Amino acid sequence: MTEGRRDQLLWRVLVFSETPDRASISTVGHTGPMIKGRQYELQCDIHKVAPVEFLTVNWYKGDTVVENITITDSSKSPGNVSARLQISPSTDDDGAQYRCEAELGWNIDGTRPPLKVSSQVLGITVRYGNRTMFWAVVGSFVGLALVMVLGYLLKKRTG
């Protein structure tokens, strides 16, 4: 990048930039516990940010970055932006905490830290998906108990 181009971009960013007002996280089209193995979408809404072309959305599961999404919109005026993350939770994810972070990386000249704002934490609850499996396990235990009782009664009667 030439020095003139860098100065032009720096001036444009300094004049038109607006720190993200806030970020919020939610599930898309779903409420309540999640079922293991199914697909879900989380959405991060970033409010009043500019210029969008320097925005990156970082997704975290706990303290671990799981995805970085660079926004490709070239809008210069403050606006709202959304980014989505696809997840397919396992039972190990029960209680996992997700959050998103909007990072306005306008550090063209290398002297400024990026501006960041994080969402609240979204905790997820994961359930085994099939109640039939639950009843099959319960039925197996009941069946085993019944066999043991009948075996005991038969042994007591014959012997």
Side-chain angles (χ1 to χ4, degrees):
M1 177 182 309
T2 66
E3 188 173 330
R5 173 79 175 130
R6 188 200 71 190
D7 290 344
Q8 181 184 17
L9 281 173
L10 182 58
W11 178 85
R12 191 175 77 196
V13 169
L14 290 175
V15 170
F16 297 109
S17 69
E18 184 160 333
T19 305
D21 186 40
R22 66 186 165 94
S24 59
I25 186 173
S26 61
T27 55
V28 176
H30 179 78
T31 59
M34 296 180 177
I35 306 300
K36 81 169 188 155
R38 291 194 183 164
Q39 291 284 324
Y40 297 92
E41 268 189 321
L42 305 182
Q43 181 167 305
C44 184
D45 294 311
I46 299 101
H47 304 273
K48 290 177 58 181
V49 61
V52 175
E53 66 184 316
F54 295 112
L55 183 66
T56 300
V57 178
N58 303 310
W59 286 95
Y60 292 86
K61 179 179 169 185
D63 292 326
T64 304
V65 176
V66 292
E67 189 167 346
N68 299 314
I69 299 172
T70 301
I71 306 300
T72 57
D73 187 341
S74 61
S75 176
K76 309 292 186 273
S77 59
N80 300 332
V81 177
S82 295
R84 291 186 175 187
L85 175 70
Q86 295 276 336
I87 62 170
S88 181
S90 70
T91 51
D92 292 339
D93 293 321
D94 188 37
Q97 296 186 329
Y98 286 87
R99 68 182 170 88
C100 61
E101 177 183 80
E103 180 177 323
L104 191 57
W106 56 283
N107 189 13
I108 296 166
D109 65 352
T111 62
R112 293 166 186 82
L115 302 172
K116 297 180 183 182
V117 64
S118 286
S119 71
Q120 74 279 16
V121 171
L122 175 71
I124 65 168
T125 302
V126 181
R127 302 277 186 244
Y128 293 98
N130 198 342
R131 288 191 175 157
T132 306
M133 185 173 100
F134 170 77
W135 289 113
V137 170
V138 169
S140 296
F141 282 118
V142 170
L144 179 61
L146 184 59
V147 168
M148 291 173 69
V149 168
L150 289 175
Y152 173 77
L153 291 174
L154 186 58
K155 184 176 178 182
K156 188 173 183 178
R157 190 174 193 178
T158 61

